[in-house]
Amino acid sequence: MALRLRQAIAGRPNVKTKQSVGVLAVDGRGFIVYPSSSNVILLTPELQLSETLQFWSALPHRATSSTPGNVQGVSCSSSESLIIAWSDVHVVLWQYLPSRSRGNWNVHSTVVASSPITCLDFLAGTLVLGTQQGIEYWRMDPKAEVVVWDRLWERSYPPPTSIHISPATGHLAWIGEEQQKSAYIIIVDRKGQATGRAQEIRNPREIAWIGWRQAKPGSGDAHLYTITTNSVLRLYSPVLDDPAWFQLHLTLDHSAFASQASATPKSKGEHPESNPFGVMWVWNTDVLRSALGVELEGIKMGRIDISAEGRQKLDSLEAEESDIVAWVGPDGIVVLRSIMNIERKPPTLLKSLYLGRTSCPSSVPPDLWTSRAQLLLIPETTLSVVLPPTDRHPYIGSLQTSLTNIICSEPQGFSTALPDTSAEETTLVQLEHAVERLVRTPNGRGLLAIGEGGEIAMWYKQQLGVRPNDWDHGPKALVGKGHWRDKSTPSQAAVFAKGRAIVFYTKPEDGSGSITLQHLDAGATTPQEPLTLPHFTPTEDDEVEMLLAVSDIDDGFSGKGRRTQRAIVMAATRGGEAWVWRVVSRITPSNSEIDGRPDVFLLSHYRLPLDSGHQNETPRMILPVDPMGWHQSTIDWTTDTPLQDMILTVSNDGDLEFWTPKIGQHLASATEELKGLDLKHGDMACEMNGHAHQHRPVDEPWTRTGVVRTERRNLINARCSSRKKTVLICELPDGRHEMTIWDSNVSEFSTGLELTHIFAPGETILDLDWTTTSDLQSVLAIGFAHRVLLICEQRMSYVETTPRWAPLLTIDMQRYTSVPISDSIWLAGGSLAVGAGNQIYLFSRFLGRDTPTPSPSASARSVRVDEEEPEDIFQLIAHQNGPLVDYHPILLAQCLLWDKGALVKSILLQLVKALRNCEEAGKKRLVFNRLDPSEFYSTRKTIKAAKSSDRKYDGLFDTVQPEIEDDDDEFTARVVADLIERLHGNVRIPLSQAEKSFLVSVAQATHEAEQQRRALDFSGLRYLISLRMYVNWDRIRGANDTLAPDTGGDYEARPNGTGAEKRGRSHFSFRNIVWATHSESQELLLAASTESCRNGKMLWDEAKRLGIFLWLKSAESVKAQIEIIARNRFMVDEDRDPTSCSLIFFALGKKKVVHGLWRQAPGHKEQQLMLKFLANDFELDRWKTAAMKNAYALLSKQRYEYAAAFFMLAGRPKDAITVCLRQLDDWQLGLALARVVEGGTEGPIVKWILNDTVLPMAFKGGHRWLATWAFWTLGRRDLAVRVLISPINDVAEAFLPDTPLEVGNPENDDPSLLLMFQHLKSKSLQTAKGTSEVSTKLEFDFVLHNARVFFRMGCHNLALDLIRSWSFERPFFPPQKLKSRKVATPISTPTPVPLDGAVPTRPSLAGSLSQSYTGHRRRQSFMLTSGRRESLIMDMDVLAESGASSRVPTPPNEEEQPINGDKHEEALRETEEVNEDGTDKGSAPVEDKQEKARPATPPKKIGNLMKELKQDVQQGAMEFNMDNFF
């Protein structure tokens, strides 16, 4: 898939020689060949660019070591499919090799002459070169496998200007440069040697053309034509008695033709420079024979109507082997005469007859015709006339003609295949030299090309609205406006006013730089005299780095006929100086014409006040904020107020600073202060002489609107889009290029980094350019030497990990030209202009699904786009990154998570109905009416009237009880089955097969959730929905034998996760484990989890992936489930190995079960030893020691799991768990064993695992979900709430103030974090306290950040709903007493360092996040959210919290010993016993007394309730609610 080529502008032909164009027909295709710059250009007969052959790349390396020059001439041979071109002394021959798809031009051979070449000719393996020293004769064997050229002879003559080989290769004829009135003929024998002296044939006038008549094959006759400048044709042939001597046999002058021309006088002033004698040219006899055969065949078949007289003339031409001579008069009349009896003897029988007359098209002036015009005939097509370029008209012309029409004297014997010239086109613009840079107007309507040597070209991009199938006959997209040459090449340029106004910055080598303004008047091809912008005085060593111009017609609506009235021009130098000018046009109100030159006023001259850290340094780059793609006005022209940033400065440290100028009102407030001051300029410009003016107004002319810290150095290229997306290119030490894309919207939760990509060695980035789609999606074009890579933003998904940016498509320029790309730039309407050499390729935004073809017409004809597929890149990008359709499974899944199940059912019912209606109506495409966005706002919309229930749940934004639908709900199992059937029906749905399967999963999950809603709370419901989607996605992965990517940005429950497992299985997000942890319906969740396993039998891998032993609360359930897993593990293998389950059974204390399992393993080699060993009493120290020795022996053999089993048998559970953590790298297994051994989550080993392993891992990886689960399990519920949205380094510092923790970049792109925060913030006193420590501003920023995440996911309606309905009400908690540490002091945390020592790909947030915002002053009491009816869990002492730290220590247990990791390793080595009841001081926070004493079951006793109420009354914050008394 690629972009369609809309238009290709070929380079201007080189007209230094007479051989400036050639034609040939090969493989059913016709080509017009001409030299342009250092390339050979191939056009179609319709003058569309077909291919480009690079001359110097075809030569050996030693030949290209010198400075490449322009190609001077070409010659073609249709019989041998060869193109010959020369430059200086080098000759290159290309040969066409046909293939199935499209033939290629390959280098045939090369020749090096002894002196510079002036002309050449090729025929049947013979190459004749006219050089500065004379003539060289070369020959090769066409049938040889290896081409070898031999120079047979060389003679010294005056430099020829045109040389030709006779058809029988027996003669050479040429014209000398010194004697233009003489032609020379020399005889060549069969051995290729020249014999005798050259015969001189003199003419009274200069010879304009010379050529041999193409005789019949096998004929040895030679007939030479000459045409002089006064339109006189002469025919020379050998005499009978002396074949070596040529004499004149026939003469035709213009009078013989003019007598047959029209007597209508020429209009006065019409083509005053035309040749009064007209132009005469001889038609190629070979082409004429073929054309006659085609015409007569058409007459016989009845396709062509012709009179009897015309039919007789055609038959006579074919029978007599006549030649045709055409004459074009000064008035554009074309007359044809025939020359007959040339093949007869004696030659005195020659005669000339009149054939017919016609007229030229008005678009082709008569002075464009020359005697070097050529005929081109493609089989089964019309005859074409190719007009070579001249000094006066340096363009190639192409006309289509028909002998029948001319002989019948039809008025339009010639026609042009080109589309009519647009009224917007002033002139045909083709570049003579290679493009150096492309510049566009702010709205992309004007295109300026700057070529080598100061060549300037201007085009205008028309807004046509022509469909691709009509491109052949429609007008051109780019029309020429002007072409001129400046004295020096401008280093910076800006264009505005639809390309009519041009701003250049030039700096001569011996002078100071200046900025000039030029204007292209209507109908003019060159601009007016340049106007120098005033008061531009940079320092001598400073140069302009940026030019930007915006006018009122390039900004916003640009109607037809509108003229520029005002414009703003901005310039910034490398040193940071900035100028702003206002340009005001003098337009006459009566006719809206410009009257005189515009007025230019300097508005400001200022040095950009760089960041305090870069005040004394020069910016590395100063770039314009690209106006291309702005969909709103950039400037409010009524008040002269910029509405967008204009300039971007990039420091050496990679800091991006955005600037906006004040162009009209920035001096108004300072008028009184400036009274009496002597301003140099009357426009109140801000003066600056190296530094800011001492009387500078407070309101500065430039405002910095944003800063992004990228920490990128060694920048070599950068671009900024209108959406303030910035791409930076850095060169790494190894020479590779690193590309990063940054968003200007940075916050505590986003560094702005969106993409980091390192290109392979050799992939050098040459060009960058941005555009914006119609729905504000950014697209970046990355230019390499021979390709352009387009990348765009990607939609984020919860189902799979997708990069924020990804390649969209690639434009392979080697399919069109071998010339390297000079520059590429976006234009209006999504068109992309690519400059390669001196050619411009314009690609439209429309897509093609087949192999790109070089010509635009072929590209339009060969592509047929399916109506289901996107037609252009705008639609494709919208499909990949735009809003999702309402029935998209990703959107529906999010609606389910956000408690919008009724809305999901409504959408699914509408989808089923729409599919049914389309099938009944016979439609092939789905017609689905999108919902109004307001329907997403209500979380309680139901399909039918619902009845209330006594159960209470937590809603999305409130805590009212959910509504339960009636039993006669329309969304039934039959509806789900109907949906599944119709999704695979005949109606096409814009969803992939995976998305359809995912949609089925969502429908099934919705139905199951509705069935179990009465038994499930919202937390359990979210887990169940995610489980169903996970199982479905895993099934899709297995069916397609592909990998299911990770869920978007979340920490996944793969604790040990070896590489093979990570590559082979999909992953279950840890957020679902946290939801299950807070669910009270765990028995149902456990049953659903077991059902999701293979064959309904859960193994440890499934339990670990689903986090079963992380969210199960009941200790008995934990023991029962882990025993089931152990039994399943034993039964899963046919060999029944007891070692696979011994660890779990020993942890359960079921040694006898293991002993029994060993009895069932007769084939195991260790059976007898284990039966004997397990028969002992392990309550005795002797056998405990023996078990430990076996464990260490197994460790040395790397049988880690079995070693842990022996540690567990020896009564050393902590040693066994240590093996799980360190050797097995499975902290979930260690935690499950600890819960089994200690009977809950309050034991010291569990706390040791959470404090020393889980939380450091969570902080290091920035895993918020893992951290909140760990804090909740530890009883630190305040931190469990804070870690959801607070900066992680703040939470880490609050958790361990004296112990620095390594903190990584947090996972912030997850709206479900807000769900959990809303669910927990008022759940208990501790969570309320944690909520109170989260500032309102921080919460607001996090909500706004995740609204952007919803936007990236394509859930625009949910993003709007989140911002619209999020409630910031929260319980207020009494503030703590101030500590000695100042609150305003930012917390310093170390930057995370990767384990492999690599440089992080994006800057860490740890060093940039400061202390949380203090927020509003809170009441000194505890106030619950109004309207809340649930009881608050009293899990802390509010009186103590009001005057002390939130960390309430518990008196240590004297019987417990601290656990230390280093001492533990030493104990393992010395086989000493370790106290299992020990605790790690300072690492495991001890629970609050009341939390520890609180029973596990939710109901509370009256005594405890009264104590809590008394505490609340003392605080004065108890909310009175009558329902509490009933």
Side-chain angles (χ1 to χ4, degrees), residues 1161-1173:
H1164 203 287
K1165 62 181 180 178
E1166 299 175 352
Q1167 182 191 26
Q1168 298 302 324
L1169 293 175
M1170 288 303 301
L1171 288 175
K1172 182 179 179 181
F1173 185 73

Side-chain angles (χ1 to χ4, degrees), residues 177-379:
E177 183 179 1
E178 297 178 357
Q179 296 293 331
Q180 294 290 332
K181 296 181 179 180
S182 299
Y184 298 89
I185 301 176
I186 193 171
I187 299 176
V188 180
D189 59 18
R190 294 182 178 180
K191 296 182 179 180
Q193 299 296 326
T195 60
R197 299 178 60 185
Q199 176 187 354
E200 180 182 5
I201 299 178
R202 297 182 179 181
N203 287 266
R205 294 288 186 98
E206 289 81 4
I207 299 176
W209 177 83
I210 184 175
W212 296 97
R213 180 181 185 271
Q214 303 297 324
K216 286 183 179 181
S219 175
D221 296 339
H223 306 277
L224 180 67
Y225 286 113
T226 63
I227 299 177
T228 55
T229 56
N230 60 343
S231 296
V232 177
L233 171 72
R234 294 176 175 86
L235 174 62
Y236 299 89
S237 300
V239 296
L240 294 177
D241 53 350
D242 188 0
W245 186 259
F246 283 75
Q247 68 180 13
L248 179 65
H249 286 280
L250 178 68
T251 301
L252 281 178
D253 61 2
H254 61 91
S255 60
F257 295 87
S259 60
Q260 305 295 334
S262 175
T264 304
K266 182 180 61 175
S267 301
K268 183 178 181 181
E270 182 181 3
H271 309 301
E273 299 180 357
S274 300
N275 187 349
F277 302 104
V279 176
M280 191 180 299
W281 117 82
V282 180
W283 286 25
N284 186 293
T285 308
D286 288 341
V287 179
L288 179 60
R289 294 192 192 103
S290 301
L292 281 173
V294 173
E295 297 275 349
L296 292 175
E297 181 68 20
I299 294 174
K300 292 179 181 180
M301 300 298 295
R303 295 192 303 266
I304 301 176
D305 295 331
I306 190 173
S307 62
E309 181 182 0
R311 174 64 181 271
Q312 183 180 2
K313 290 181 180 180
L314 290 179
D315 292 337
S316 175
L317 288 174
E318 183 184 28
E320 298 294 336
E321 295 289 338
S322 303
D323 287 3
I324 292 181
V325 180
W327 176 80
V328 182
D331 54 356
I333 299 299
V334 180
V335 179
L336 264 62
R337 296 185 68 90
S338 65
I339 301 178
M340 306 177 66
N341 302 328
I342 298 179
E343 298 290 342
R344 296 186 179 183
K345 304 294 188 295
T348 54
L349 298 176
L350 294 176
K351 63 179 179 179
S352 175
L353 298 178
Y354 167 77
L355 293 179
R357 59 179 292 276
T358 186
S359 58
C360 295
S362 58
S363 59
V364 181
D367 55 349
L368 187 61
W369 293 78
T370 67
S371 299
R372 293 179 285 113
Q374 302 185 43
L375 293 178
L376 175 61
L377 178 65
I378 306 174

Side-chain angles (χ1 to χ4, degrees), residues 1028-1055:
R1028 164 63 70 178
M1029 296 176 186
Y1030 157 75
V1031 172
N1032 180 76
W1033 197 258
D1034 199 55
R1035 188 188 73 252
I1036 296 173
R1037 181 202 59 80
N1040 297 336
D1041 196 21
T1042 57
L1043 298 182
D1046 300 348
T1047 53
D1050 296 315
Y1051 178 79
E1052 288 122 7
R1054 51 179 192 273

Side-chain angles (χ1 to χ4, degrees), residues 486 490 492-494 496 501-506 513-519 528-534 536 547 569 581 597 600:
D486 273 8
Q492 295 292 337
F496 61 96
I502 306 102
V503 182
F504 285 150
Y505 167 73
T506 55
S514 62
I515 299 179
T516 58
L517 173 63
Q518 304 180 55
H519 191 272
Q528 296 179 351
E529 287 296 322
L531 173 65
T532 303
L533 300 189
F536 177 69
L547 268 181
V569 179
W581 292 274
R597 313 189 80 179
V600 181

Side-chain angles (χ1 to χ4, degrees), residues 1095-1372:
N1095 299 325
K1097 295 182 179 180
M1098 182 180 294
L1099 300 177
W1100 173 248
D1101 289 340
E1102 284 88 354
K1104 180 179 59 178
R1105 192 172 299 111
L1106 301 178
I1108 298 297
F1109 299 102
L1110 304 184
W1111 53 263
L1112 273 179
K1113 297 178 182 178
S1114 173
E1116 297 300 327
S1117 298
V1118 170
K1119 293 181 180 180
Q1121 187 63 27
I1122 202 170
E1123 183 175 357
I1124 293 174
I1125 291 174
R1127 295 183 183 276
N1128 293 338
R1129 179 64 184 87
F1130 178 75
M1131 299 297 295
V1132 73
D1133 296 329
E1134 294 181 358
D1135 56 359
R1136 301 291 194 270
D1137 188 2
T1139 62
S1140 62
C1141 58
S1142 298
L1143 175 59
I1144 296 177
F1145 280 118
F1146 286 155
L1148 291 169
K1150 296 185 178 183
K1151 179 179 70 69
K1152 294 183 180 180
V1153 175
V1154 180
H1155 191 268
L1157 295 178
W1158 276 108
R1159 291 194 184 98
Q1160 303 177 21
H1164 203 287
K1165 62 181 180 178
E1166 299 175 352
Q1167 182 191 26
Q1168 298 302 324
L1169 293 175
M1170 288 303 301
L1171 288 175
K1172 182 179 179 181
F1173 185 73
L1174 292 178
N1176 299 305
D1177 185 6
F1178 289 92
E1179 296 295 332
L1180 301 178
D1181 293 341
R1182 172 191 173 185
W1183 297 111
K1184 289 183 179 180
T1185 304
M1188 291 198 54
K1189 290 181 179 179
N1190 288 328
Y1192 287 118
L1194 291 170
L1195 281 176
S1196 64
K1197 297 179 181 181
Q1198 298 184 356
R1199 297 178 64 182
Y1200 299 125
E1201 185 176 352
Y1202 206 28
F1206 273 88
F1207 276 125
M1208 195 68 72
L1209 180 62
R1212 305 294 293 272
K1214 187 166 185 181
D1215 294 343
I1217 293 171
T1218 301
V1219 173
C1220 295
L1221 297 177
R1222 298 184 179 180
Q1223 277 74 28
L1224 296 178
D1225 190 22
D1226 193 343
W1227 65 268
Q1228 279 203 51
L1229 179 59
L1231 186 69
L1233 296 175
R1235 294 191 61 181
V1236 170
V1237 172
E1238 296 181 338
T1241 59
E1242 300 178 357
I1245 299 180
V1246 172
K1247 293 184 177 180
W1248 168 66
I1249 295 174
L1250 296 177
N1251 284 283
D1252 287 9
T1253 301
V1254 178
L1255 280 173
M1257 177 173 58
F1259 283 122
K1260 182 179 180 179
H1263 305 309
R1264 293 185 181 271
W1265 289 105
L1266 180 61
T1268 186
W1269 171 85
F1271 280 131
W1272 191 269
T1273 307
L1274 282 173
R1276 293 302 307 273
R1277 299 178 176 179
D1278 55 337
L1279 296 181
V1281 175
R1282 287 184 58 187
V1283 78
L1284 290 172
I1285 65 175
S1286 296
I1288 282 193
N1289 57 338
D1290 290 355
V1291 181
E1293 208 278 342
F1295 174 57
L1296 293 177
D1298 302 327
T1299 304
L1301 292 175
E1302 185 177 355
V1303 178
N1305 292 318
E1307 299 166 339
N1308 300 317
D1309 299 346
D1310 190 355
S1312 293
L1313 291 169
L1314 288 171
L1315 269 177
M1316 183 58 67
F1317 177 77
Q1318 187 73 18
H1319 178 71
L1320 297 181
K1321 67 179 183 179
S1322 299
K1323 193 176 185 64
S1324 69
L1325 290 179
Q1326 280 198 28
T1327 60
K1329 174 184 176 295
T1331 305
S1332 66
E1333 295 177 355
V1334 177
S1335 67
T1336 306
K1337 180 181 182 300
L1338 188 68
E1339 183 180 354
F1340 174 81
D1341 291 341
F1342 197 75
V1343 171
L1344 194 61
H1345 173 78
N1346 279 280
R1348 296 192 187 102
V1349 174
F1350 267 139
F1351 190 86
R1352 286 173 44 207
M1353 292 172 58
C1355 306
H1356 294 60
N1357 290 328
L1358 293 182
L1360 183 60
D1361 180 33
L1362 177 63
I1363 297 176
R1364 178 182 178 274
S1365 56
W1366 181 264
S1367 173
F1368 291 92
E1369 295 183 0
R1370 70 208 17 233
F1372 292 160

Side-chain angles (χ1 to χ4, degrees), residues 870-1168:
E871 292 186 355
D872 55 45
I873 57 172
F874 287 3
Q875 296 180 10
L876 180 61
I877 293 171
H879 179 72
Q880 294 186 0
N881 193 40
L884 295 172
V885 293
D886 292 338
Y887 52 84
H888 197 281
I890 298 295
L891 177 60
L892 297 182
Q894 287 299 314
C895 290
L896 289 178
L897 293 178
W898 285 84
D899 189 25
K900 298 179 183 292
L903 178 64
V904 173
K905 293 189 296 181
S906 175
I907 293 175
L908 292 176
L909 286 173
Q910 292 185 36
L911 177 61
V912 173
K913 182 179 179 181
L915 289 171
R916 185 187 304 114
N917 294 337
C918 291
E919 289 182 0
E920 294 174 354
K923 298 180 179 179
K924 295 183 178 181
R925 298 183 62 184
L926 174 64
V927 178
F928 185 88
N929 296 325
R930 303 200 66 165
L931 275 67
D932 190 89
S934 61
E935 299 189 37
F936 285 81
Y937 302 159
S938 174
T939 62
R940 294 290 172 260
K941 180 179 179 180
T942 57
I943 303 174
K944 283 191 174 183
K947 60 183 179 181
S948 61
S949 175
D950 294 336
R951 290 189 57 86
K952 301 175 181 179
Y953 302 89
D954 291 336
L956 177 59
F957 300 119
D958 51 6
T959 56
V960 298
Q961 58 189 22
E963 297 176 349
I964 307 299
E965 296 183 1
D966 291 334
D967 294 335
D968 57 349
D969 189 358
E970 294 182 12
F971 191 76
T972 60
R974 181 177 299 177
V975 173
V976 176
D978 190 17
L979 174 63
I980 296 174
E981 180 182 357
R982 296 184 185 277
L983 283 177
H984 300 87
N986 297 326
V987 180
R988 295 180 181 179
I989 304 175
L991 296 176
S992 64
Q993 291 299 326
E995 290 170 340
K996 289 181 180 179
S997 182
F998 192 19
L999 180 59
V1000 171
S1001 177
V1002 171
Q1004 293 174 345
T1006 304
H1007 179 63
E1008 292 179 7
E1010 287 301 317
Q1011 287 182 328
Q1012 300 180 5
R1013 177 176 286 275
R1014 292 177 174 85
L1016 276 176
D1017 54 10
F1018 285 140
S1019 298
L1021 185 63
R1022 291 176 179 122
Y1023 177 87
L1024 183 64
I1025 293 171
S1026 301
L1027 178 65
R1028 164 63 70 178
M1029 296 176 186
Y1030 157 75
V1031 172
N1032 180 76
W1033 197 258
D1034 199 55
R1035 188 188 73 252
I1036 296 173
R1037 181 202 59 80
N1040 297 336
D1041 196 21
T1042 57
L1043 298 182
D1046 300 348
T1047 53
D1050 296 315
Y1051 178 79
E1052 288 122 7
R1054 51 179 192 273
N1056 69 337
T1058 60
E1061 179 186 352
K1062 292 181 183 180
R1063 291 190 299 270
R1065 295 301 301 268
S1066 58
H1067 303 297
F1068 196 57
S1069 173
F1070 204 92
R1071 78 167 76 88
N1072 304 318
I1073 298 174
V1074 179
W1075 283 119
T1077 302
H1078 294 283
S1079 175
E1080 300 297 336
S1081 311
Q1082 295 196 342
E1083 294 299 328
L1084 290 174
L1085 301 185
L1086 182 60
S1089 301
T1090 304
E1091 184 182 357
S1092 68
C1093 299
R1094 181 176 298 179
N1095 299 325
K1097 295 182 179 180
M1098 182 180 294
L1099 300 177
W1100 173 248
D1101 289 340
E1102 284 88 354
K1104 180 179 59 178
R1105 192 172 299 111
L1106 301 178
I1108 298 297
F1109 299 102
L1110 304 184
W1111 53 263
L1112 273 179
K1113 297 178 182 178
S1114 173
E1116 297 300 327
S1117 298
V1118 170
K1119 293 181 180 180
Q1121 187 63 27
I1122 202 170
E1123 183 175 357
I1124 293 174
I1125 291 174
R1127 295 183 183 276
N1128 293 338
R1129 179 64 184 87
F1130 178 75
M1131 299 297 295
V1132 73
D1133 296 329
E1134 294 181 358
D1135 56 359
R1136 301 291 194 270
D1137 188 2
T1139 62
S1140 62
C1141 58
S1142 298
L1143 175 59
I1144 296 177
F1145 280 118
F1146 286 155
L1148 291 169
K1150 296 185 178 183
K1151 179 179 70 69
K1152 294 183 180 180
V1153 175
V1154 180
H1155 191 268
L1157 295 178
W1158 276 108
R1159 291 194 184 98
Q1160 303 177 21
H1164 203 287
K1165 62 181 180 178
E1166 299 175 352
Q1167 182 191 26
Q1168 298 302 324

